[in-house]
Every structure is written in C-alpha cells, then in structure tokens.
Amino acid sequence: MFQTFQCTPCMKPYKLFLLLLLTAVSSGTVCSQTPRDTTATSDPVIHYVVIKNDGTRFVGEIIARDAREVLIDTPNLGQIVIPMHEIREIREARSSEVSLTGDFIPSEVFSTRYFITTNGLPVEKGESYIQWNLYGPDIQFGVRDNLGLGIMTSWFGTPLIGTVKYSIGVPGPVSLGVGMLAGTGSWAAPDFGLLLPFGAITLGDRVKNMTLSVGYGGVFYKEEDYDPVRDRTTSNRVSQGRVLISLAGMAKVGKKLSLVFDSFIVPRGGYYDHLEFIDQYDPVTGDYYFTEVTRRKRREGLALLIPGIRLQTDPDRAFQFGFAGIRFDGAFAATPIPMVQWYRKL
C-alpha cells in the first residue's frame, strides 16, 4: 500500500515539494480514518474544541460540564473554567485538528483556496474574505452555507470575473464542489468574454486536503484579419475552448505554517487548420504576390505548477508565498515573478 520514494539530485524542486505535500496529506487522511480501539483496557482521551464568543479557541479534555460552566484541561494552560454564556460552540475535535502534543491546529476559511484554484470544501454563511494579489484583488463572500459568490479583477479593472461555487456534502472525508467563472474584458476589451464551468472533488478537511478539479474554459472575442489578396479587412467572432485540469493540496504542519501546492494544466488539444499568406517573388515578371497556404497545426499544452508556503499570522489573516514553474512545448522554466498573496477576513 505504501511506496518507498528515493530522492535523487536530479529530482525537480517542484516534484520534491509535491511529494512532501502528498505524503503529509495522505498520512493525515489515513490517521483521521483510523477507527478507535474499542478493545483497549482504558477509554481513549477525547479532545473537544471550545470556541468562545470572541473567537478564542481551547482544545483539550472536558473534565466537568454543567449549565453554568465548562472545565477543560488544556495541554499548555492547564485546567480552565469557562462560563457557559461566553461559549459559542463546543464540539469534538477531529484527529487532524490536534497535533502530537495535543495542541489545537485551527482550520481557517482560507483553506478552501490554494494559489489560483479552489476546492470542494464548503463555506459557511458569513465566511467572507479578500485575497490581495500583486496583480489585483479577489473577494469571496459566503452568502449561504455551502454557497459562495465572488469577484476578481486586476488593478486596472480588466478583466472583470465573477465566481460562484456550491459544495455538495457526501459521507466520509470527501467534498464535492461545482462552480462557474464568467468574465469580460470590461472597459479595455468589451468584446472579450470567458466562461469556465468546473467540478472539484476534495479528500480531507480544512487542515489537510487534496483536490482534483476539471473544467472547460471558453473564450469569446472579435478578431480582425487583413486579407492582402483581396485588400480588405474582415471582422469575425471567434470562440475557442479547452479542457482544464488542476491537482492541488495543502497541509497544516503547525499552528501557523502550511504547505501549499497548486497547478493549472491545459492538455494538448486537437489539430486545426491555420490560414497563412506567403509573400512570393515571380522571377519572370519581377513582381511580388501573396499566396494562401493552409497549414495543419496542433494546439500545444501548458502546465503551471506552484509550490509554496502559507503563514497564518492570526485567525483573520494569512500570508502566502510561492514560485511558479511553467512547462510548455516540452520544456520547463521558472517564472521570475513570485506568487505573493495576502488573505484578510471581511
């Protein structure tokens, strides 16, 4: 079931990072699905999460509980008494939320996003946040449980893209999500439009998860071509579409640190006819003339791979940093501009 991997000096950095991330996610998922040993001589310790009205969280074993207060034994602060009127929620902690030392690893709404893609994990009503990018803002709103709406753009207001995602609950540690991106070039390119329906399946939770997403992206625009043979310009509406795939994941390895990996893959497409005009010379007449030539071409594939880290500075904000690598036409190259993002709850 488990494989032994050997790291060689020639292994690409992004491949090594992805291997470490998948190992962390897989080990966390396996542990979360391990049943409790009911044949043990003593009952296992059950950790609970106590969330106060101000957002403060405590994790530990509940020693006593009545209508007035809760006595919880935490690994770091010892026994704490919390009045019931100050408590917003009490629930059993998931195994992935508790570290080996018994510390609570919080799950944040930012875990529903990677660098550029999302996953199938649900959002709750009121879970709204903004993702600041070097190129512009991305704002997401939790309008209802399992339903989120958003808008993203650049600092120049083009393109302008709206997003929607609905999560479907299924039994076990699996989440399904369906959504859509729809946008326009706005003021800079009003004739340009894009549409991207997608589906995502996620294994894990907000602490550790791995996602496979598949979508179909279509673009629509007006294209003007000059025909030198007929000496005229033609305007046509053009639409193109390609299948898009993403494999992404994240794993909290501490209270503030997470490993994040994202990808954006466009497989190679089919063949198409491309019309070209070739300038040729007639040695008899000494004149130049244009000839129409149709060439058979294939749409090339593209893969964008982004490994990085996320620092959860506090429950309401996070900082994310990574470098992207691009594989195109059989060659791999690193982009000179890093992926830098700031998350803030609204």
Side-chain angles (χ1 to χ4, degrees):
M1 179 177 180
F2 297 97
Q3 295 178 326
T4 301
F5 296 90
Q6 182 178 1
C7 178
T8 61
C10 62
M11 181 175 287
K12 298 290 186 180
Y14 72 89
K15 291 183 179 179
L16 178 59
F17 183 92
L18 178 59
L19 175 61
L20 294 174
L21 176 62
L22 295 181
T23 302
V25 172
S26 300
S27 61
T29 304
V30 170
C31 291
S32 63
Q33 293 176 332
T34 302
R36 293 176 184 148
D37 185 5
T38 57
T39 62
T41 56
S42 59
D43 294 334
V45 176
I46 300 177
H47 288 85
Y48 287 86
V49 178
V50 179
I51 306 176
K52 299 179 63 176
N53 296 326
D54 59 3
T56 304
R57 302 175 182 230
F58 299 95
V59 62
E61 180 184 3
I62 292 182
I63 305 300
R65 175 180 178 180
D66 56 29
R68 295 184 303 173
E69 59 190 20
V70 170
L71 175 61
I72 182 171
D73 186 12
T74 64
N76 296 328
L77 302 177
Q79 295 186 0
I80 300 176
V81 176
I82 307 175
M84 287 296 294
H85 69 272
E86 297 182 2
I87 298 176
R88 183 177 67 192
E89 180 183 359
I90 300 176
R91 62 174 173 83
E92 185 175 342
R94 296 182 290 271
S95 60
S96 58
E97 293 179 311
V98 182
S99 66
L100 296 178
T101 59
D103 295 330
F104 176 62
I105 303 178
S107 60
E108 304 298 338
V109 66
F110 309 142
S111 299
T112 61
R113 288 289 300 273
Y114 304 112
F115 278 97
I116 55 178
T117 65
T118 184
N119 53 37
L121 295 175
V123 297
E124 299 178 3
K125 183 178 181 179
E127 286 189 330
S128 304
Y129 66 91
I130 184 170
Q131 181 194 68
W132 297 105
N133 300 276
L134 293 180
Y135 54 83
D138 180 348
I139 307 175
Q140 299 295 321
F141 303 94
V143 294
R144 290 179 54 188
D145 289 346
N146 301 333
L147 178 63
L149 300 177
I151 186 170
M152 61 179 70
T153 186
S154 69
W155 299 115
F156 303 100
T158 180
L160 189 64
I161 303 174
T163 66
V164 57
K165 185 185 79 171
Y166 180 75
S167 298
I168 305 171
V170 295
V174 178
S175 299
L176 302 178
V178 292
M180 175 88 69
L181 279 75
T184 175
S186 67
W187 63 272
D191 294 325
F192 174 81
L194 64 88
L195 201 63
L196 173 55
F198 68 90
I201 177 170
T202 300
L203 176 66
D205 52 28
R206 289 192 179 185
V207 177
K208 296 178 181 179
N209 58 71
M210 185 165 44
T211 299
L212 173 64
S213 302
V214 179
Y216 188 86
V219 293
F220 318 90
Y221 57 94
K222 181 184 293 186
E223 184 178 65
E224 293 185 352
D225 293 326
Y226 173 69
D227 186 346
V229 176
R230 302 174 179 82
D231 191 24
R232 66 180 183 181
T233 300
T234 59
S235 179
N236 302 305
R237 295 290 298 178
V238 180
S239 62
Q240 297 180 357
R242 298 286 292 275
V243 174
L244 307 174
I245 302 173
S246 173
L247 178 64
M250 62 85 58
K252 272 186 173 291
V253 295
K255 285 186 176 180
K256 297 184 178 181
L257 180 64
S258 299
L259 299 178
V260 184
F261 177 81
D262 205 352
S263 64
F264 191 81
I265 303 170
V266 183
R268 294 186 68 181
Y271 291 91
Y272 66 99
D273 294 331
H274 180 69
L275 181 63
E276 297 181 359
F277 295 97
I278 300 178
D279 189 7
Q280 295 185 342
Y281 174 73
D282 188 343
V284 177
T285 62
D287 297 329
Y288 287 91
Y289 63 96
F290 291 99
T291 301
E292 295 182 3
V293 177
T294 301
R295 300 186 186 276
R296 191 76 167 167
K297 292 187 175 183
R298 186 173 186 178
R299 294 182 174 86
E300 293 293 336
L302 172 69
L304 180 65
L305 311 174
I306 313 174
I309 60 173
R310 179 182 298 167
L311 296 176
Q312 190 79 36
T313 53
D314 63 50
D316 294 334
R317 62 187 62 196
F319 171 75
Q320 191 162 269
F321 176 85
F323 277 97
I326 298 179
R327 184 174 180 82
F328 179 75
D329 198 18
F332 180 84
T335 59
I337 302 177
M339 294 287 294
V340 182
Q341 298 171 326
W342 294 264
Y343 287 91
R344 297 291 185 272
K345 282 187 177 180
L346 299 178

